[in-house]
Amino acid sequence: MLLRCLRWIRAKIAQRVESLLLRVLAAGPIPKHVAFVMDGNRRYARTHHKAIAQGHSDGFVALRRLLDVCLRLEVRCVSVYAFALDNFRRSPDEVQHLMDLAHDKLMEMSRQGQILEKYGVRLNVLGKISLLPERVQEAIRHPLTEQIFTAILNIHMSYSSQDEMTTAIESAVRLSLEKPEADIEITEDDISAQLMTSLAGSPPLEVLVRTSGAKRLSDYLLWQCNENTQIHFVKKYWPEFGLLDFVPVVLDYQRKVWSQRIS
């Protein structure tokens, strides 16, 4: 009984500290669009002597934790790299688990999406949806509660940035050919407008975070990463990534924004 009481007190203290920290951060400029490459689930599982499937499940818990943090800071759009096109090359058992996990969590968010409804989040699943199992496609189509959306969550599944850019260029060419011949011209803005993130209503990407220590983008949001995007490579595995790891990212963003304003 005493141990349970102490745990409750510690949890309450941690909540108070977290709320105070978030209020302090929110007093400064906050990025409108933050993206996460959720890397390291498998290495986390091996390090902690867990099954690979459990590592992916723990990774989803981390996603909910970080999504809550971002929404409380009033980040307008959060994008996450959940499943790359290349991931289909992994073992059938791992792919099967990832598809099962995607189905279950998408259905959970649509049926009992407290965090989505609480913050008015519109859920977009972006990628080559046709390659996903039918049950996952059905979960993606499952309607969410009708409401006014004030934030966006982009989950990139069966996604490749090269594929996105190719599709965007094809769409831009098709639209250009529909114009009078004298007006045929394709600009960067035309291509940008046809990107999945643009069609989903996402603002420009300002911060991208990759966990697990790897220093590469792995074909994720290559077009969206522009001269103003701040890229952070963090050593922690994704399931371990939390508020205290995100604080330096936000502070660095604020420092650069203030520096630009002064200059």
Side-chain angles (χ1 to χ4, degrees):
M1 184 66 180
L2 178 59
L3 182 59
R4 184 182 303 175
C5 183
L6 289 174
R7 287 176 178 171
W8 181 85
I9 293 173
R10 187 164 68 175
K12 287 297 181 181
I13 293 174
Q15 290 175 5
R16 292 287 182 86
V17 171
E18 180 177 295
S19 296
L20 177 60
L21 184 54
L22 288 174
R23 284 200 296 269
V24 171
L25 287 176
I30 297 296
K32 294 182 177 64
H33 186 178
V34 177
F36 296 98
V37 180
M38 305 183 294
D39 192 25
N41 291 347
R42 293 190 293 176
R43 279 169 285 173
Y44 161 85
R46 296 189 188 102
T47 301
H48 292 80
H49 308 290
K50 296 182 177 183
I52 299 298
Q54 185 60 50
H56 290 306
S57 297
D58 290 350
F60 180 81
V61 174
L63 169 58
R64 292 189 61 175
R65 182 171 64 241
L66 262 296
L67 180 60
D68 182 70
V69 167
C70 288
L71 294 175
R72 289 167 67 185
L73 286 172
E74 297 188 358
V75 175
R76 181 183 165 194
C77 179
V78 176
S79 295
V80 295
Y81 203 6
F83 190 85
L85 273 174
D86 284 348
N87 289 160
F88 281 113
R89 299 176 182 176
R90 294 183 178 180
S91 71
D93 287 344
E94 184 175 357
V95 172
Q96 175 73 29
H97 172 76
L98 286 169
M99 293 299 104
D100 290 343
L101 182 64
H103 171 269
D104 294 346
K105 298 308 179 182
L106 286 170
M107 293 301 294
E108 178 184 318
M109 283 190 284
S110 63
R111 288 174 177 167
Q112 305 172 8
Q114 293 94 340
I115 189 170
L116 301 185
E117 293 183 4
K118 177 181 178 181
Y119 294 103
V121 180
R122 184 178 73 219
L123 174 63
N124 301 315
V125 180
L126 309 178
K128 296 197 77 126
I129 306 302
S130 61
L131 298 181
L132 298 171
E134 180 57 36
R135 68 186 187 282
V136 178
Q137 295 184 44
E138 179 61 29
I140 293 171
R141 293 190 293 266
H142 198 278
L144 291 169
T145 303
E146 292 294 333
Q147 60 180 341
I148 298 175
F149 298 110
T150 58
I152 298 170
L153 170 60
N154 295 323
I155 299 180
H156 288 83
M157 293 186 63
S158 186
Y159 172 86
S160 157
S161 186
Q162 294 181 66
D163 175 74
E164 178 186 32
M165 288 187 285
T166 300
T167 302
I169 292 170
E170 290 174 347
S171 297
V173 169
R174 184 179 66 254
L175 291 173
S176 179
L177 292 174
E178 294 174 357
K179 300 177 182 178
E181 185 173 351
D183 297 328
I184 293 179
E185 181 183 3
I186 299 174
T187 66
E188 290 184 9
D189 289 341
D190 294 327
I191 297 172
S192 293
Q194 298 304 313
L195 294 172
M196 295 175 185
T197 47
S198 299
L199 295 172
S202 308
L205 180 62
E206 294 185 280
V207 175
L208 184 143
V209 179
R210 177 171 185 150
T211 55
S212 86
K215 296 182 179 180
R216 57 183 184 275
L217 296 181
S218 295
D219 203 11
Y220 186 55
L221 301 181
L222 301 183
W223 183 286
Q224 291 85 342
C225 285
N226 54 67
E227 67 274 10
N228 295 318
T229 303
Q230 295 179 203
I231 301 176
H232 296 263
F233 298 107
V234 183
K235 290 185 178 180
K236 276 195 175 179
Y237 299 135
W238 174 251
E240 300 172 321
F241 189 82
L243 172 60
L244 295 181
D245 304 294
F246 190 51
V247 167
V249 174
V250 177
L251 290 177
D252 188 59
Y253 171 84
Q254 293 179 338
R255 179 182 61 81
K256 291 181 179 178
V257 169
W258 283 323
S259 176
Q260 290 172 356
R261 290 177 180 176
I262 292 174
S263 62

